[in-house]
Amino acid sequence: MPLLLDRLRPHWGGRGFLRRFLQRLEVDCVLDVGANVGQYAEKLRLIGYEGLIVSFEPDPAPYRELAKKADSDPKWHALDIALGRAAGEENFNIMARSDFNSFRTPTSDDTHSFDAMNVIVDTVTVQVSTVTEVLAELQRAHGFRHPYLKMDTQGSDLEVFEGAAGALDRIVGIQSEVAVKRIYEGMPDWREAVARYERSGFELAGLFSVTPWEDELVELDCFLVNKNLAKPAGAAR
């Protein structure tokens, strides 16, 4: 148990922030892009979020586990597609550990911490849609009002964001995994990513290390609010 607590404790600050953030934005639907086997959705339930979750995972193997978990939760739906800049088909790299799967090619130029896990073992062709397209369909089906876009796509979050251009006026907040040290070729660093989000009307609200138990800072969870939709922090509900 002490070892488990040591592993969980660094996450407590970030999880508390996420719980308050979702409450402040009155989120009633989370688009969980890059869901893998549902770790993020499980975290949402753990911190008390009870609203709709729609998880997107294009790799068939983790998708099967994701779908099984979602079947036990009536407000959790799983879709076996990727989201990106435009609809179509793309080659998707399967890594030695599935949570590193990416449309991009791994690189060790900035860090060697993930060399054994972040190596291509296969490539599959996957279906790609866009946030703009799926959000319209999901809103018609479920009637939610305050969608939240979480992106963890291993280097392709900005492509997902570009594909959300026609829906940004409805998205109250976003969460993006951004790079301090690049582990994929061509991925933007965290400053480029934040600048892109800010140019589209989103304001930085929080930054947390993805691996707070490690001494090396590689990636950050970046939280931003839509300045045109969100209530100011501390405003009365």
Side-chain angles (χ1 to χ4, degrees):
M1 182 61 73
L3 289 177
L4 176 60
L5 290 176
D6 287 343
R7 184 73 176 236
L8 290 175
R9 189 173 291 113
H11 283 292
W12 290 346
R15 289 184 176 184
F17 175 89
L18 177 58
R19 178 178 57 81
R20 295 189 302 272
F21 195 55
L22 296 178
Q23 290 174 345
R24 170 190 164 191
L25 301 181
E26 299 180 346
V27 170
D28 54 359
C29 175
V30 175
L31 302 181
D32 173 22
V33 184
N36 195 241
V37 297
Q39 299 96 318
Y40 181 79
E42 291 177 316
K43 178 170 72 173
L44 290 178
R45 295 301 188 227
L46 185 65
I47 64 172
Y49 173 74
E50 298 178 347
L52 182 68
I53 303 170
V54 184
S55 295
F56 301 85
E57 174 52 51
D59 180 2
Y63 173 76
R64 286 191 291 271
E65 184 174 347
L66 169 69
K68 184 177 180 180
K69 292 177 181 178
D71 281 345
S72 64
D73 184 333
K75 290 188 176 181
W76 182 7
H77 304 282
L79 298 175
D80 56 346
I81 59 173
L83 297 183
R85 187 187 302 270
E89 291 185 343
E90 290 190 43
N91 291 329
F92 189 59
N93 294 320
I94 308 302
M95 307 302 181
R97 204 174 84 179
S98 66
D99 52 338
F100 286 90
N101 291 351
S102 177
F103 288 111
R104 296 186 180 272
T105 302
T107 180
S108 299
D109 288 351
D110 290 349
T111 178
H112 291 279
S113 295
F114 306 106
D115 286 358
M117 298 169 280
N118 194 23
V119 58
I120 299 172
V121 296
D122 196 6
T123 301
V124 298
T125 301
V126 301
Q127 295 294 320
V128 182
S129 187
T130 68
V131 172
T132 299
E133 182 175 319
V134 301
L135 185 60
E137 296 176 3
L138 290 169
Q139 280 194 298
R140 284 194 294 268
H142 299 284
F144 53 81
R145 298 177 58 203
H146 302 124
Y148 177 82
L149 175 61
K150 166 264 178 185
M151 300 172 287
D152 179 5
T153 61
Q154 301 303 304
S156 297
D157 285 14
L158 285 186
E159 282 75 9
V160 176
F161 187 73
E162 295 297 339
L168 294 181
D169 60 343
R170 286 169 281 161
I171 295 172
V172 295
I174 61 175
Q175 179 178 341
S176 175
E177 191 170 279
V178 296
V180 176
K181 296 182 178 180
R182 295 178 176 90
I183 60 174
Y184 301 96
E185 294 179 2
M187 71 183 298
D189 77 0
W190 71 275
R191 288 160 294 200
E192 296 173 72
V194 171
R196 176 66 188 90
Y197 298 141
E198 290 181 332
R199 288 197 300 272
S200 294
F202 288 81
E203 182 177 59
L204 187 63
L207 289 169
F208 294 86
S209 172
V210 172
T211 54
W213 61 88
E214 299 286 356
D215 293 332
E216 183 181 21
L217 181 59
V218 178
E219 294 174 311
L220 296 166
D221 274 327
C222 173
F223 298 85
L224 302 100
V225 299
N226 187 328
K227 293 188 293 185
N228 296 318
L229 297 179
K231 293 180 180 179
R237 292 177 61 83

